[in-house]
Amino acid sequence: MNPYWSAVVRELTPYVPGEQPKIDKLIKLNTNENPYPPSPAAIEAMHAEIGNGLRLYPDPQSTRLRQAIAAANGVSSDCVFVGNGSDEVLAHAFQGLLRHELPLLFPDVSYSFYPVYCGLYGIEYRTVALREDFSLAVDDYAGPCGGIVIANPNAPTGRALPRAEVERLVAAHPECVVLVDEAYVDFGGESAVPLVKRYPNLLVTQTLSKSRSLAGLRVGLAIGQPGLIEALVRVKDSFNSYPLGRIAIAGATAAYEDVEHFERTRSAVIASREWLAGELAALGFEVLPSGANFVFARHPDHDGAALQAALRERRVLVRHFARPRIDQYLRITVGTDAECATLVAALREILAGQAARASAPG
Ligand code: PMP
């Protein structure tokens, strides 16, 4: 350990992002990226912005982008915060709204960045077990707490909680902020954004990384009442005044305005997900219902880590988490139809090979 490290850094257990390998002809279904390119209007807007002079700092409030997001969501722009990916927005929310005397609550199986932020900001937390089928029981969150964070649809399970249940959770906890991380909501979840007007303790985060195919641009957002947004702005302005560059603001604004591209690509992903889930079930996998751009599945007769390794040998990358309760599952990002078909063919081959070995004499 380096002697110059602060006590906080010595204690950190950082988040480990999914692999971004530089291998040719790989089918990459491990980090929930969108298989389709972003809106052509977004690409054009970003090119134009380069010509517009990166010599100048960007708008520190990202006003244009916040207005586009506000218009799309039927809220005013003082209800919108934007940051460098929703990870940054989440980090600001953890620091600015979820660090209190009482512990923060989140599900035992959820986005693995949540405990990492708790470690970084010294937030006490308690995990609440999901049901056996990985659905969330709102009543298990009863009693006062310092805050609640859920991902909806959840990651890595893909399971979605109906809006009425989210509302029950938010209404039961006027004493704290309930943060609903909607990174995957556009693929089949019911957004909590329509509840924001009625609940001063509700903060919703979303991202342009998934349903708008802009993971590489790093743009995320939060929607909440102005009082909550002000907390995020105060953290941001004490950390980095310019989290979004000019190119990001231009591209993200145009992406938000291109509703047709958004609708077409997200429908394609949803259709491919349903096909993939059906094929996996036909191969004997147990597939959780998904409202996201990935499916979470396990095979009763085949080890999760072994399947992931066998797929990797066939140049298909999926995600496996060596964590309690989920170590037999694969999280498979929905790719193009061709990518999904290659994955299914590879799995069919692997399962047949393993079955043949298991039944071979001696
Ligand atoms: N929330 C969840 C549940 C996620 O899975 C991810 C993606 N890893 C994020 C937030 C962060 O996404 P981004 O920073 O790309 O907006």
Side-chain angles (χ1 to χ4, degrees), residues 218-264:
R218 310 306 300 132
V219 184
L221 60 115
I223 298 179
Q225 290 193 8
L228 298 189
I229 299 304
E230 194 186 341
L232 302 179
V233 173
R234 287 170 71 96
V235 175
K236 164 197 162 272
D237 286 335
S238 306
F239 178 77
N240 176 5
S241 311
Y242 307 105
L244 296 194
R246 286 176 170 269
I247 296 169
I249 294 171
T253 305
Y256 245 89
E257 288 167 352
D258 190 348
V259 177
E260 191 275 330
H261 182 88
F262 165 70
E263 291 294 347
R264 190 160 36 79

mmCIF file of all heavy atoms in Angstrom, residues 218-264:
data_model
loop_
_atom_site.group_PDB
_atom_site.id
_atom_site.type_symbol
_atom_site.label_atom_id
_atom_site.label_comp_id
_atom_site.label_asym_id
_atom_site.label_seq_id
_atom_site.Cartn_x
_atom_site.Cartn_y
_atom_site.Cartn_z
ATOM 1 N N ARG A 218 -21.274 9.719 -21.951
ATOM 2 C CA ARG A 218 -21.384 9.942 -20.508
ATOM 3 C C ARG A 218 -22.368 11.062 -20.174
ATOM 4 O O ARG A 218 -21.981 12.187 -19.821
ATOM 5 C CB ARG A 218 -20.007 10.247 -19.867
ATOM 6 C CG ARG A 218 -18.878 9.289 -20.207
ATOM 7 C CD ARG A 218 -19.228 7.839 -19.928
ATOM 8 N NE ARG A 218 -19.555 7.613 -18.532
ATOM 9 C CZ ARG A 218 -20.651 6.930 -18.137
ATOM 10 N NH1 ARG A 218 -21.494 6.412 -19.010
ATOM 11 N NH2 ARG A 218 -20.879 6.766 -16.855
ATOM 12 N N VAL A 219 -23.637 10.781 -20.298
ATOM 13 C CA VAL A 219 -24.674 11.735 -19.883
ATOM 14 C C VAL A 219 -25.763 11.006 -19.097
ATOM 15 O O VAL A 219 -26.332 10.024 -19.569
ATOM 16 C CB VAL A 219 -25.325 12.456 -21.098
ATOM 17 C CG1 VAL A 219 -26.324 13.513 -20.602
ATOM 18 C CG2 VAL A 219 -24.272 13.120 -21.978
ATOM 19 N N GLY A 220 -26.027 11.498 -17.904
ATOM 20 C CA GLY A 220 -27.105 10.967 -17.082
ATOM 21 C C GLY A 220 -27.885 12.128 -16.486
ATOM 22 O O GLY A 220 -27.465 13.293 -16.584
ATOM 23 N N LEU A 221 -29.006 11.826 -15.857
ATOM 24 C CA LEU A 221 -29.859 12.908 -15.366
ATOM 25 C C LEU A 221 -30.641 12.485 -14.133
ATOM 26 O O LEU A 221 -30.797 11.295 -13.850
ATOM 27 C CB LEU A 221 -30.840 13.317 -16.471
ATOM 28 C CG LEU A 221 -31.778 12.207 -16.947
ATOM 29 C CD1 LEU A 221 -33.230 12.555 -16.616
ATOM 30 C CD2 LEU A 221 -31.624 12.024 -18.451
ATOM 31 N N ALA A 222 -31.125 13.497 -13.432
ATOM 32 C CA ALA A 222 -32.048 13.250 -12.321
ATOM 33 C C ALA A 222 -33.248 14.161 -12.491
ATOM 34 O O ALA A 222 -33.123 15.290 -12.982
ATOM 35 C CB ALA A 222 -31.365 13.528 -10.987
ATOM 36 N N ILE A 223 -34.413 13.639 -12.092
ATOM 37 C CA ILE A 223 -35.635 14.446 -12.092
ATOM 38 C C ILE A 223 -36.215 14.379 -10.687
ATOM 39 O O ILE A 223 -36.361 13.288 -10.105
ATOM 40 C CB ILE A 223 -36.642 13.922 -13.141
ATOM 41 C CG1 ILE A 223 -36.029 14.036 -14.545
ATOM 42 C CG2 ILE A 223 -37.962 14.714 -13.076
ATOM 43 C CD1 ILE A 223 -36.915 13.537 -15.674
ATOM 44 N N GLY A 224 -36.495 15.550 -10.145
ATOM 45 C CA GLY A 224 -37.058 15.631 -8.794
ATOM 46 C C GLY A 224 -37.536 17.054 -8.563
ATOM 47 O O GLY A 224 -37.331 17.936 -9.414
ATOM 48 N N GLN A 225 -38.144 17.298 -7.427
ATOM 49 C CA GLN A 225 -38.589 18.667 -7.137
ATOM 50 C C GLN A 225 -37.366 19.577 -6.938
ATOM 51 O O GLN A 225 -36.287 19.096 -6.559
ATOM 52 C CB GLN A 225 -39.509 18.661 -5.919
ATOM 53 C CG GLN A 225 -40.850 18.011 -6.249
ATOM 54 C CD GLN A 225 -41.912 18.264 -5.180
ATOM 55 O OE1 GLN A 225 -41.731 19.051 -4.242
ATOM 56 N NE2 GLN A 225 -43.036 17.577 -5.327
ATOM 57 N N PRO A 226 -37.532 20.893 -7.206
ATOM 58 C CA PRO A 226 -36.371 21.799 -7.190
ATOM 59 C C PRO A 226 -35.521 21.736 -5.921
ATOM 60 O O PRO A 226 -34.301 21.909 -5.982
ATOM 61 C CB PRO A 226 -37.015 23.182 -7.372
ATOM 62 C CG PRO A 226 -38.278 22.904 -8.139
ATOM 63 C CD PRO A 226 -38.767 21.561 -7.659
ATOM 64 N N GLY A 227 -36.139 21.448 -4.788
ATOM 65 C CA GLY A 227 -35.363 21.372 -3.538
ATOM 66 C C GLY A 227 -34.314 20.273 -3.585
ATOM 67 O O GLY A 227 -33.179 20.456 -3.124
ATOM 68 N N LEU A 228 -34.663 19.123 -4.146
ATOM 69 C CA LEU A 228 -33.701 18.019 -4.269
ATOM 70 C C LEU A 228 -32.654 18.347 -5.336
ATOM 71 O O LEU A 228 -31.458 18.067 -5.161
ATOM 72 C CB LEU A 228 -34.418 16.712 -4.628
ATOM 73 C CG LEU A 228 -35.435 16.164 -3.629
ATOM 74 C CD1 LEU A 228 -35.884 14.763 -4.045
ATOM 75 C CD2 LEU A 228 -34.873 16.121 -2.212
ATOM 76 N N ILE A 229 -33.132 18.932 -6.437
ATOM 77 C CA ILE A 229 -32.200 19.269 -7.531
ATOM 78 C C ILE A 229 -31.145 20.254 -7.040
ATOM 79 O O ILE A 229 -29.957 20.153 -7.364
ATOM 80 C CB ILE A 229 -32.987 19.844 -8.747
ATOM 81 C CG1 ILE A 229 -33.981 18.809 -9.290
ATOM 82 C CG2 ILE A 229 -32.030 20.332 -9.838
ATOM 83 C CD1 ILE A 229 -33.397 17.470 -9.693
ATOM 84 N N GLU A 230 -31.586 21.183 -6.184
ATOM 85 C CA GLU A 230 -30.637 22.178 -5.660
ATOM 86 C C GLU A 230 -29.511 21.511 -4.870
ATOM 87 O O GLU A 230 -28.353 21.939 -4.936
ATOM 88 C CB GLU A 230 -31.396 23.185 -4.779
ATOM 89 C CG GLU A 230 -30.569 24.410 -4.475
ATOM 90 C CD GLU A 230 -31.262 25.350 -3.485
ATOM 91 O OE1 GLU A 230 -32.496 25.256 -3.312
ATOM 92 O OE2 GLU A 230 -30.528 26.152 -2.882
ATOM 93 N N ALA A 231 -29.834 20.430 -4.152
ATOM 94 C CA ALA A 231 -28.783 19.718 -3.400
ATOM 95 C C ALA A 231 -27.734 19.161 -4.368
ATOM 96 O O ALA A 231 -26.526 19.246 -4.121
ATOM 97 C CB ALA A 231 -29.395 18.581 -2.583
ATOM 98 N N LEU A 232 -28.219 18.594 -5.497
ATOM 99 C CA LEU A 232 -27.285 18.028 -6.478
ATOM 100 C C LEU A 232 -26.427 19.123 -7.103
ATOM 101 O O LEU A 232 -25.219 18.943 -7.324
ATOM 102 C CB LEU A 232 -28.063 17.268 -7.562
ATOM 103 C CG LEU A 232 -28.956 16.118 -7.075
ATOM 104 C CD1 LEU A 232 -29.680 15.473 -8.248
ATOM 105 C CD2 LEU A 232 -28.134 15.074 -6.322
ATOM 106 N N VAL A 233 -27.051 20.278 -7.368
ATOM 107 C CA VAL A 233 -26.306 21.403 -7.959
ATOM 108 C C VAL A 233 -25.238 21.887 -6.975
ATOM 109 O O VAL A 233 -24.106 22.191 -7.368
ATOM 110 C CB VAL A 233 -27.276 22.543 -8.358
ATOM 111 C CG1 VAL A 233 -26.500 23.779 -8.804
ATOM 112 C CG2 VAL A 233 -28.233 22.087 -9.456
ATOM 113 N N ARG A 234 -25.588 21.916 -5.699
ATOM 114 C CA ARG A 234 -24.611 22.368 -4.694
ATOM 115 C C ARG A 234 -23.411 21.422 -4.643
ATOM 116 O O ARG A 234 -22.262 21.860 -4.534
ATOM 117 C CB ARG A 234 -25.259 22.462 -3.309
ATOM 118 C CG ARG A 234 -26.212 23.649 -3.168
ATOM 119 C CD ARG A 234 -27.009 23.555 -1.869
ATOM 120 N NE ARG A 234 -26.172 23.808 -0.706
ATOM 121 C CZ ARG A 234 -26.051 24.986 -0.088
ATOM 122 N NH1 ARG A 234 -26.739 26.023 -0.515
ATOM 123 N NH2 ARG A 234 -25.267 25.129 0.951
ATOM 124 N N VAL A 235 -23.675 20.111 -4.728
ATOM 125 C CA VAL A 235 -22.551 19.145 -4.732
ATOM 126 C C VAL A 235 -21.732 19.329 -6.011
ATOM 127 O O VAL A 235 -20.502 19.419 -5.966
ATOM 128 C CB VAL A 235 -23.057 17.688 -4.612
ATOM 129 C CG1 VAL A 235 -21.892 16.709 -4.748
ATOM 130 C CG2 VAL A 235 -23.773 17.460 -3.283
ATOM 131 N N LYS A 236 -22.437 19.381 -7.143
ATOM 132 C CA LYS A 236 -21.738 19.541 -8.433
ATOM 133 C C LYS A 236 -20.844 20.789 -8.422
ATOM 134 O O LYS A 236 -19.671 20.738 -8.812
ATOM 135 C CB LYS A 236 -22.767 19.660 -9.557
ATOM 136 C CG LYS A 236 -22.207 20.216 -10.856
ATOM 137 C CD LYS A 236 -23.328 20.699 -11.777
ATOM 138 C CE LYS A 236 -22.835 21.615 -12.854
ATOM 139 N NZ LYS A 236 -22.768 23.024 -12.536
ATOM 140 N N ASP A 237 -21.388 21.904 -7.938
ATOM 141 C CA ASP A 237 -20.623 23.150 -7.977
ATOM 142 C C ASP A 237 -19.548 23.208 -6.896
ATOM 143 O O ASP A 237 -18.802 24.186 -6.807
ATOM 144 C CB ASP A 237 -21.572 24.354 -7.899
ATOM 145 C CG ASP A 237 -22.320 24.553 -9.214
ATOM 146 O OD1 ASP A 237 -21.787 24.123 -10.268
ATOM 147 O OD2 ASP A 237 -23.426 25.117 -9.204
ATOM 148 N N SER A 238 -19.475 22.154 -6.096
ATOM 149 C CA SER A 238 -18.377 22.044 -5.137
ATOM 150 C C SER A 238 -17.378 20.981 -5.603
ATOM 151 O O SER A 238 -16.486 20.570 -4.855
ATOM 152 C CB SER A 238 -18.927 21.644 -3.756
ATOM 153 O OG SER A 238 -19.940 22.533 -3.361
ATOM 154 N N PHE A 239 -17.586 20.490 -6.822
ATOM 155 C CA PHE A 239 -16.801 19.345 -7.302
ATOM 156 C C PHE A 239 -16.268 19.601 -8.713
ATOM 157 O O PHE A 239 -15.069 19.496 -8.957
ATOM 158 C CB PHE A 239 -17.729 18.117 -7.272
ATOM 159 C CG PHE A 239 -17.123 16.847 -7.781
ATOM 160 C CD1 PHE A 239 -16.245 16.122 -6.997
ATOM 161 C CD2 PHE A 239 -17.447 16.359 -9.044
ATOM 162 C CE1 PHE A 239 -15.687 14.934 -7.476
ATOM 163 C CE2 PHE A 239 -16.900 15.181 -9.520
ATOM 164 C CZ PHE A 239 -16.012 14.469 -8.733
ATOM 165 N N ASN A 240 -17.171 19.916 -9.653
ATOM 166 C CA ASN A 240 -16.780 20.178 -11.040
ATOM 167 C C ASN A 240 -17.908 20.975 -11.679
ATOM 168 O O ASN A 240 -19.010 20.466 -11.840
ATOM 169 C CB ASN A 240 -16.583 18.830 -11.765
ATOM 170 C CG ASN A 240 -16.266 18.988 -13.251
ATOM 171 O OD1 ASN A 240 -16.093 20.106 -13.745
ATOM 172 N ND2 ASN A 240 -16.171 17.883 -13.953
ATOM 173 N N SER A 241 -17.625 22.218 -12.037
ATOM 174 C CA SER A 241 -18.686 23.077 -12.593
ATOM 175 C C SER A 241 -19.117 22.650 -13.979
ATOM 176 O O SER A 241 -20.185 23.023 -14.435
ATOM 177 C CB SER A 241 -18.197 24.521 -12.703
ATOM 178 O OG SER A 241 -17.609 24.927 -11.519
ATOM 179 N N TYR A 242 -18.244 21.904 -14.670
ATOM 180 C CA TYR A 242 -18.518 21.580 -16.079
ATOM 181 C C TYR A 242 -18.505 20.075 -16.321
ATOM 182 O O TYR A 242 -17.653 19.569 -17.061
ATOM 183 C CB TYR A 242 -17.470 22.238 -16.988
ATOM 184 C CG TYR A 242 -17.285 23.721 -16.782
ATOM 185 C CD1 TYR A 242 -16.169 24.201 -16.113
ATOM 186 C CD2 TYR A 242 -18.220 24.625 -17.273
ATOM 187 C CE1 TYR A 242 -15.986 25.559 -15.935
ATOM 188 C CE2 TYR A 242 -18.051 25.982 -17.098
ATOM 189 C CZ TYR A 242 -16.924 26.447 -16.418
ATOM 190 O OH TYR A 242 -16.747 27.775 -16.253
ATOM 191 N N PRO A 243 -19.435 19.341 -15.732
ATOM 192 C CA PRO A 243 -19.382 17.883 -15.913
ATOM 193 C C PRO A 243 -19.675 17.451 -17.345
ATOM 194 O O PRO A 243 -19.218 16.390 -17.771
ATOM 195 C CB PRO A 243 -20.460 17.364 -14.951
ATOM 196 C CG PRO A 243 -21.373 18.514 -14.714
ATOM 197 C CD PRO A 243 -20.529 19.749 -14.835
ATOM 198 N N LEU A 244 -20.424 18.256 -18.081
ATOM 199 C CA LEU A 244 -20.712 17.923 -19.474
ATOM 200 C C LEU A 244 -20.004 18.907 -20.396
ATOM 201 O O LEU A 244 -20.168 20.119 -20.263
ATOM 202 C CB LEU A 244 -22.218 17.995 -19.762
ATOM 203 C CG LEU A 244 -23.123 17.019 -19.032
ATOM 204 C CD1 LEU A 244 -24.502 16.993 -19.676
ATOM 205 C CD2 LEU A 244 -22.539 15.623 -19.037
ATOM 206 N N GLY A 245 -19.261 18.356 -21.352
ATOM 207 C CA GLY A 245 -18.604 19.198 -22.336
ATOM 208 C C GLY A 245 -19.594 19.659 -23.397
ATOM 209 O O GLY A 245 -20.753 19.211 -23.436
ATOM 210 N N ARG A 246 -19.127 20.543 -24.272
ATOM 211 C CA ARG A 246 -20.007 21.071 -25.332
ATOM 212 C C ARG A 246 -20.519 19.959 -26.252
ATOM 213 O O ARG A 246 -21.651 19.983 -26.697
ATOM 214 C CB ARG A 246 -19.239 22.095 -26.172
ATOM 215 C CG ARG A 246 -19.041 23.404 -25.463
ATOM 216 C CD ARG A 246 -18.198 24.366 -26.279
ATOM 217 N NE ARG A 246 -18.256 25.675 -25.645
ATOM 218 C CZ ARG A 246 -19.137 26.608 -25.931
ATOM 219 N NH1 ARG A 246 -20.034 26.415 -26.881
ATOM 220 N NH2 ARG A 246 -19.139 27.756 -25.299
ATOM 221 N N ILE A 247 -19.652 19.002 -26.555
ATOM 222 C CA ILE A 247 -20.065 17.927 -27.468
ATOM 223 C C ILE A 247 -21.162 17.096 -26.817
ATOM 224 O O ILE A 247 -22.159 16.739 -27.450
ATOM 225 C CB ILE A 247 -18.846 17.064 -27.849
ATOM 226 C CG1 ILE A 247 -17.835 17.919 -28.626
ATOM 227 C CG2 ILE A 247 -19.268 15.846 -28.685
ATOM 228 C CD1 ILE A 247 -16.490 17.253 -28.831
ATOM 229 N N ALA A 248 -20.991 16.808 -25.542
ATOM 230 C CA ALA A 248 -21.994 16.003 -24.834
ATOM 231 C C ALA A 248 -23.339 16.742 -24.766
ATOM 232 O O ALA A 248 -24.400 16.148 -24.986
ATOM 233 C CB ALA A 248 -21.496 15.666 -23.429
ATOM 234 N N ILE A 249 -23.304 18.015 -24.481
ATOM 235 C CA ILE A 249 -24.559 18.779 -24.377
ATOM 236 C C ILE A 249 -25.272 18.781 -25.735
ATOM 237 O O ILE A 249 -26.480 18.529 -25.827
ATOM 238 C CB ILE A 249 -24.296 20.226 -23.885
ATOM 239 C CG1 ILE A 249 -23.780 20.204 -22.450
ATOM 240 C CG2 ILE A 249 -25.579 21.071 -23.999
ATOM 241 C CD1 ILE A 249 -23.277 21.547 -21.928
ATOM 242 N N ALA A 250 -24.500 19.024 -26.805
ATOM 243 C CA ALA A 250 -25.108 19.084 -28.146
ATOM 244 C C ALA A 250 -25.680 17.726 -28.552
ATOM 245 O O ALA A 250 -26.820 17.616 -29.020
ATOM 246 C CB ALA A 250 -24.067 19.553 -29.165
ATOM 247 N N GLY A 251 -24.894 16.664 -28.355
ATOM 248 C CA GLY A 251 -25.322 15.330 -28.784
ATOM 249 C C GLY A 251 -26.503 14.826 -27.971
ATOM 250 O O GLY A 251 -27.466 14.275 -28.506
ATOM 251 N N ALA A 252 -26.456 15.046 -26.677
ATOM 252 C CA ALA A 252 -27.530 14.558 -25.810
ATOM 253 C C ALA A 252 -28.828 15.308 -26.095
ATOM 254 O O ALA A 252 -29.913 14.708 -26.110
ATOM 255 C CB ALA A 252 -27.124 14.715 -24.343
ATOM 256 N N THR A 253 -28.729 16.606 -26.347
ATOM 257 C CA THR A 253 -29.946 17.385 -26.645
ATOM 258 C C THR A 253 -30.588 16.863 -27.925
ATOM 259 O O THR A 253 -31.803 16.607 -27.978
ATOM 260 C CB THR A 253 -29.599 18.893 -26.794
ATOM 261 O OG1 THR A 253 -28.915 19.309 -25.614
ATOM 262 C CG2 THR A 253 -30.860 19.732 -26.986
ATOM 263 N N ALA A 254 -29.776 16.672 -28.960
ATOM 264 C CA ALA A 254 -30.321 16.184 -30.235
ATOM 265 C C ALA A 254 -30.890 14.775 -30.074
ATOM 266 O O ALA A 254 -31.923 14.436 -30.663
ATOM 267 C CB ALA A 254 -29.225 16.210 -31.310
ATOM 268 N N ALA A 255 -30.238 13.955 -29.272
ATOM 269 C CA ALA A 255 -30.735 12.584 -29.058
ATOM 270 C C ALA A 255 -32.106 12.626 -28.383
ATOM 271 O O ALA A 255 -33.004 11.862 -28.732
ATOM 272 C CB ALA A 255 -29.749 11.801 -28.185
ATOM 273 N N TYR A 256 -32.274 13.521 -27.445
ATOM 274 C CA TYR A 256 -33.568 13.642 -26.765
ATOM 275 C C TYR A 256 -34.646 14.115 -27.713
ATOM 276 O O TYR A 256 -35.820 13.763 -27.576
ATOM 277 C CB TYR A 256 -33.457 14.584 -25.555
ATOM 278 C CG TYR A 256 -33.693 13.819 -24.287
ATOM 279 C CD1 TYR A 256 -32.645 13.217 -23.623
ATOM 280 C CD2 TYR A 256 -34.981 13.636 -23.794
ATOM 281 C CE1 TYR A 256 -32.859 12.452 -22.495
ATOM 282 C CE2 TYR A 256 -35.210 12.874 -22.667
ATOM 283 C CZ TYR A 256 -34.142 12.292 -22.023
ATOM 284 O OH TYR A 256 -34.371 11.526 -20.913
ATOM 285 N N GLU A 257 -34.246 14.948 -28.675
ATOM 286 C CA GLU A 257 -35.245 15.502 -29.596
ATOM 287 C C GLU A 257 -35.632 14.523 -30.705
ATOM 288 O O GLU A 257 -36.675 14.671 -31.324
ATOM 289 C CB GLU A 257 -34.725 16.824 -30.181
ATOM 290 C CG GLU A 257 -34.738 17.920 -29.109
ATOM 291 C CD GLU A 257 -33.965 19.170 -29.481
ATOM 292 O OE1 GLU A 257 -33.262 19.165 -30.517
ATOM 293 O OE2 GLU A 257 -34.045 20.155 -28.724
ATOM 294 N N ASP A 258 -34.792 13.509 -30.940
ATOM 295 C CA ASP A 258 -35.089 12.544 -32.018
ATOM 296 C C ASP A 258 -35.930 11.391 -31.449
ATOM 297 O O ASP A 258 -35.443 10.283 -31.213
ATOM 298 C CB ASP A 258 -33.778 12.021 -32.626
ATOM 299 C CG ASP A 258 -34.031 11.217 -33.899
ATOM 300 O OD1 ASP A 258 -35.204 10.876 -34.173
ATOM 301 O OD2 ASP A 258 -33.041 10.926 -34.602
ATOM 302 N N VAL A 259 -37.189 11.678 -31.273
ATOM 303 C CA VAL A 259 -38.096 10.708 -30.634
ATOM 304 C C VAL A 259 -38.281 9.475 -31.521
ATOM 305 O O VAL A 259 -38.352 8.343 -31.030
ATOM 306 C CB VAL A 259 -39.456 11.386 -30.339
ATOM 307 C CG1 VAL A 259 -40.444 10.382 -29.737
ATOM 308 C CG2 VAL A 259 -39.261 12.565 -29.401
ATOM 309 N N GLU A 260 -38.309 9.691 -32.836
ATOM 310 C CA GLU A 260 -38.559 8.582 -33.767
ATOM 311 C C GLU A 260 -37.451 7.525 -33.653
ATOM 312 O O GLU A 260 -37.719 6.326 -33.545
ATOM 313 C CB GLU A 260 -38.662 9.147 -35.200
ATOM 314 C CG GLU A 260 -39.173 8.175 -36.232
ATOM 315 C CD GLU A 260 -38.069 7.288 -36.828
ATOM 316 O OE1 GLU A 260 -36.891 7.746 -36.898
ATOM 317 O OE2 GLU A 260 -38.380 6.143 -37.181
ATOM 318 N N HIS A 261 -36.197 7.975 -33.639
ATOM 319 C CA HIS A 261 -35.071 7.038 -33.541
ATOM 320 C C HIS A 261 -35.126 6.277 -32.211
ATOM 321 O O HIS A 261 -34.929 5.054 -32.165
ATOM 322 C CB HIS A 261 -33.751 7.805 -33.657
ATOM 323 C CG HIS A 261 -32.545 6.924 -33.610
ATOM 324 N ND1 HIS A 261 -32.006 6.345 -34.723
ATOM 325 C CD2 HIS A 261 -31.790 6.505 -32.564
ATOM 326 C CE1 HIS A 261 -30.971 5.604 -34.366
ATOM 327 N NE2 HIS A 261 -30.815 5.684 -33.065
ATOM 328 N N PHE A 262 -35.405 7.019 -31.162
ATOM 329 C CA PHE A 262 -35.503 6.434 -29.814
ATOM 330 C C PHE A 262 -36.569 5.339 -29.781
ATOM 331 O O PHE A 262 -36.320 4.218 -29.322
ATOM 332 C CB PHE A 262 -35.828 7.568 -28.833
ATOM 333 C CG PHE A 262 -36.297 7.127 -27.480
ATOM 334 C CD1 PHE A 262 -35.433 6.527 -26.581
ATOM 335 C CD2 PHE A 262 -37.620 7.343 -27.085
ATOM 336 C CE1 PHE A 262 -35.880 6.129 -25.325
ATOM 337 C CE2 PHE A 262 -38.064 6.951 -25.827
ATOM 338 C CZ PHE A 262 -37.198 6.351 -24.951
ATOM 339 N N GLU A 263 -37.756 5.658 -30.312
ATOM 340 C CA GLU A 263 -38.860 4.690 -30.265
ATOM 341 C C GLU A 263 -38.534 3.451 -31.098
ATOM 342 O O GLU A 263 -38.814 2.320 -30.700
ATOM 343 C CB GLU A 263 -40.168 5.321 -30.775
ATOM 344 C CG GLU A 263 -40.734 6.394 -29.849
ATOM 345 C CD GLU A 263 -41.195 5.855 -28.496
ATOM 346 O OE1 GLU A 263 -41.318 4.635 -28.326
ATOM 347 O OE2 GLU A 263 -41.404 6.681 -27.586
ATOM 348 N N ARG A 264 -37.944 3.679 -32.262
ATOM 349 C CA ARG A 264 -37.672 2.560 -33.172
ATOM 350 C C ARG A 264 -36.624 1.613 -32.570
ATOM 351 O O ARG A 264 -36.800 0.389 -32.567
ATOM 352 C CB ARG A 264 -37.200 3.107 -34.527
ATOM 353 C CG ARG A 264 -37.122 2.079 -35.623
ATOM 354 C CD ARG A 264 -37.143 2.703 -37.018
ATOM 355 N NE ARG A 264 -36.429 3.981 -37.088
ATOM 356 C CZ ARG A 264 -35.120 4.110 -37.175
ATOM 357 N NH1 ARG A 264 -34.355 3.049 -37.206
ATOM 358 N NH2 ARG A 264 -34.565 5.306 -37.242
#
